[in-house]
Amino acid sequence: MLKLHNISKIYQTDEVETTALDNINIEIEKGEFVAIMGPSGCGKSTLLNIVGMLDTPSHGKYHFLEHEVAQASERQLAEIRKRNIGFIFQSFNLIDELTVFENVELALLYNSVPAGERKERVDRVLDKVGIAHRAKHMPSQLSGGQQQRVAVARALVAEPAMILADEPTGNLDSAHGEEVMEMLKQLNEEGATIIMVTHSPAHADYARRTINLFDGQVVTEMHRAAE
Ligand code: ADP
Ligand code: ADP
């Protein structure tokens, strides 16, 4: 599905140069569930942002599906993202002024899906994550766990091949965190490729493969046998 080849990311701010990623080589196959772990500041978010084409590497090659990412224009990148990638963030990132339904529908507006089909798909995905009864609520009227369900629904509605989750359980209590992990596990079993940054070893256990970063480098990798 994707291949990162000698990827480095160097941030230059004033006099300070920070090497966030240092010569990363990672290959991820379709259908994998990968956890990325490591101490704060080791480059996890930077790696996920590069994989999600939200940020560009300073050096190296990134191959995603049939695309050579460095050669794509901004517009092509936006198109590749919309068609193939769903994002889930620690802080939910819902739009406060839109209802639950509208927040999820937004992911389809960009894809020019007709209104009738949009309603059907949004209803179906809200039902799937167990939040259909809150469709007309505003995000501020929901608990953190419910907001993250909406964010999961938004990531799913365009049926992306890949889901990128940056600490999806970071703002949730353990019960709601488990619920989100169970959802991700089910999505993976249904075929979605998932890459997730987490600080929680228990949540990394849901993934089949864990990549440990330290100071911008891959230090160890672990694979878990299928159940
Ligand atoms: P993690 O997600 O593992 O906490 P990050 O990827 O956020 O790590 O950051 C890796 C390193 O790069 C850190 O030292 C961080 O301070 C630095 N960094 C991240 N983003 C930027 C940025 N936009 N500008 C400058 N430095 C950055
Ligand atoms: P986390 O550890 O949860 O990844 P961080 O606070 O390290 O959170 O970083 C969150 C985001 O803030 C990063 O993805 C990066 O884009 C930005 N960031 C981190 N460090 C810096 C920095 N030194 N300068 C500018 N932006 C930064």
Side-chain angles (χ1 to χ4, degrees):
M1 168 145 244
L2 67 86
K3 190 171 180 176
L4 299 163
H5 182 70
N6 291 346
I7 292 283
S8 295
K9 178 70 182 183
I10 295 147
Y11 289 109
Q12 185 82 50
T13 39
D14 303 323
E15 307 293 281
V16 190
E17 206 179 78
T18 307
T19 302
L21 296 176
D22 184 6
N23 219 23
I24 297 271
N25 288 286
I26 297 174
E27 212 168 321
I28 293 176
E29 305 288 341
K30 195 173 180 314
E32 280 199 77
F33 189 166
V34 181
I36 298 175
M37 297 194 79
S40 192
C42 71
K44 303 181 297 295
S45 294
T46 302
L47 177 61
L48 208 67
N49 289 343
I50 286 174
V51 169
M53 298 166 227
L54 298 171
D55 202 350
T56 49
S58 310
H59 306 287
K61 279 191 185 161
Y62 176 24
H63 196 81
F64 177 77
L65 295 173
E66 70 276 21
H67 309 284
E68 201 56 67
V69 173
Q71 279 154 24
S73 66
E74 269 308 316
R75 228 185 95 233
Q76 287 168 327
L77 285 184
E79 195 63 29
I80 297 169
R81 258 199 315 269
K82 277 183 276 171
R83 286 189 187 286
N84 300 290
I85 306 178
F87 293 92
I88 303 170
F89 302 95
Q90 176 174 2
S91 51
F92 320 134
N93 289 12
L94 300 174
I95 299 174
D96 292 335
E97 293 76 20
L98 298 180
T99 65
V100 163
F101 183 95
E102 290 163 344
N103 263 281
V104 176
E105 186 182 32
L106 207 54
L108 291 177
L109 288 177
Y110 297 118
N111 288 353
S112 60
V113 178
E117 189 189 333
R118 281 205 303 273
K119 172 145 178 37
E120 214 169 277
R121 286 173 68 170
V122 174
D123 285 345
R124 193 177 341 125
V125 78
L126 288 177
D127 194 45
K128 185 182 174 96
V129 302
I131 201 86
H133 60 299
R134 300 283 189 207
K136 294 201 171 98
H137 284 65
M138 307 305 281
S140 62
Q141 298 173 305
L142 305 181
S143 71
Q146 290 173 329
Q147 290 187 52
Q148 195 62 307
R149 282 165 182 270
V150 178
V152 172
R154 179 188 54 190
L156 288 185
V157 73
E159 298 176 356
M162 181 165 82
I163 293 171
L164 300 182
D166 196 349
E167 303 241 20
T169 60
N171 277 332
L172 302 178
D173 62 37
S174 60
H176 289 110
E178 289 289 323
E179 282 177 15
V180 167
M181 290 312 305
E182 287 295 337
M183 268 190 260
L184 292 178
K185 184 177 167 201
Q186 195 196 331
L187 294 171
N188 175 247
E189 283 164 1
E190 290 167 10
T193 307
I194 300 182
I195 308 176
M196 169 185 73
V197 166
T198 183
H199 276 118
S200 158
H203 292 173
D205 273 342
Y206 282 86
R208 287 284 180 73
R209 172 180 173 196
T210 296
I211 296 174
N212 290 293
L213 293 185
F214 191 80
D215 283 353
Q217 296 184 327
V218 175
V219 282
T220 52
E221 275 211 46
M222 190 182 67
H223 292 262
R224 288 174 198 79
E227 283 166 20

